[in-house]
């Protein structure tokens, strides 16, 4: 009788261990809502229009986390989706960076999924990237920019003590021209106020090759100036298949921290120039954006900006685009 009772108890415990889930690490929930009101005026050979727009700018929600599977290896994951807060799109959610991978101190981190290309890893000199309507480095009036690529394998090299370098490489099986693509980026930052980066890709964001170089100087950290000014520069060249011309573009920018406010604040100016846009001869673009940010809290930011883009196309009227606006960004 005692043996039968013991056998029954053991069976019950085994069955319970199979069907009762093991406790798992809870994911981190994060995101942001960023809405702006923008006055937009466009004039070209075919369009003459101005209007007031309410825009959602890179609003998102995400879930990310990690869980140990051995003493020195973790499973890492992220599920991130763009949200159209103002509701003017048919799709309420849009896939952003979503991946599953492994992280190890010795071999680094390997991810597979839908991810931002490595070209964006050296996008460290564009303060207008957060300027609402003007978050459009890759728009039709500017140079080709980095995007999120499907069916991608990404490797981030492990950190080496004493080496101020970050290296990442990616491989993609879905690109503009149907060929497999690859890219790599190297970033230098030793925390002393100077950063520099270089990236190269082939058949990732375009059917062809793209190379980008960047550099920035934070004068508040460099030397003993204590001047709250960050200056940046970017140069990029794209060799697009089936195009006779190479697209060439550069950016210069400056952001200055304001000292006479009760909260952190800054103003910036950024100039973009692109020649032979998308490889089309004599199609040139000039863009200038000015703006400012005011931090009510670290995660609550007010934005104000204005910008002008002129796209010159041979044998037709220039396309002039002017926009001024502002809004509120809330991060969580």
């Amino acid at each position: 009788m005692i043996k039968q009772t013991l056998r029954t108890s053991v069976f019950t415990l085994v069955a319970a261990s199979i069907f009762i889930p093991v406790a798992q690490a809870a994911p981190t929930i994060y995101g942001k809502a960023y809405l702006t009101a923008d006055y937009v005026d466009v004039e070209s050979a075919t369009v003459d229009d101005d209007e007031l727009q309410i825009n959602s700018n890179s609003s998102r929600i995400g879930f990310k986390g990690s869980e140990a599977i051995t003493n020195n290896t973790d499973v890492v994951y992220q599920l991130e989706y763009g949200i159209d807060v103002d509701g003017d799109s048919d799709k309420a959610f849009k896939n952003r960076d979503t991946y599953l991978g492994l992280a190890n101190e010795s071999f680094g981190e390997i991810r597979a999924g839908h991810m931002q290309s490595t070209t964006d890893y050296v996008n460290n000199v564009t303060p207008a990237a957060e300027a609402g309507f003007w978050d459009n480095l890759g728009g039709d009036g500017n140079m080709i920019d980095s995007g999120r690529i499907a069916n991608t394998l990404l490797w981030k090299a492990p950190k080496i003590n004493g080496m101020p370098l970050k290296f990442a490489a990616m491989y993609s099986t879905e690109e503009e021209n149907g060929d497999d693509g690859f890219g790599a980026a190297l970033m230098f930052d030793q925390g002393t106020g100077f950063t520099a980066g270089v990236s190269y890709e082939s058949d990732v964001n375009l059917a062809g090759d793209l190379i980008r170089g960047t550099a920035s100087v934070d004068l508040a950290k460099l030397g003993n100036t204590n001047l709250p000014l960050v200056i940046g520069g970017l140069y990029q060249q794209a060799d697009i298949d089936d195009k006779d011309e190479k697209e060439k573009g550069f950016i210069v920018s400056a952001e200055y921290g304001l000292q006479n406010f009760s909260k952190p604040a800054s103003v910036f100016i950024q100039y973009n120039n692109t020649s032979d846009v998308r490889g089309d001869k004599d199609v040139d673009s000039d863009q200038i954006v000015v703006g400012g940010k005011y931090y009510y809290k670290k995660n609550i930011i007010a934005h104000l900006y204005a910008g002008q883009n002129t796209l010159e196309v041979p044998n037709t009227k220039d396309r002039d685009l002017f926009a001024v606006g502002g809004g509120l960004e809330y991060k969580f």
Side-chain angles (χ1 to χ4, degrees), residues 167-179:
F167 178 78
M170 68 178 298
Y171 176 82
S172 174
T173 63
E174 184 172 313
E175 307 74 33
E176 291 290 334
N177 63 353
D179 294 332

Side-chain angles (χ1 to χ4, degrees), residues 98 123 187 197 209 224 233 235 253 284 286 311 325:
T98 55
N123 186 17
M187 191 72 192
D209 302 328
N224 299 314
Y235 177 78
S253 66
D284 301 327
D286 283 288
L311 184 66

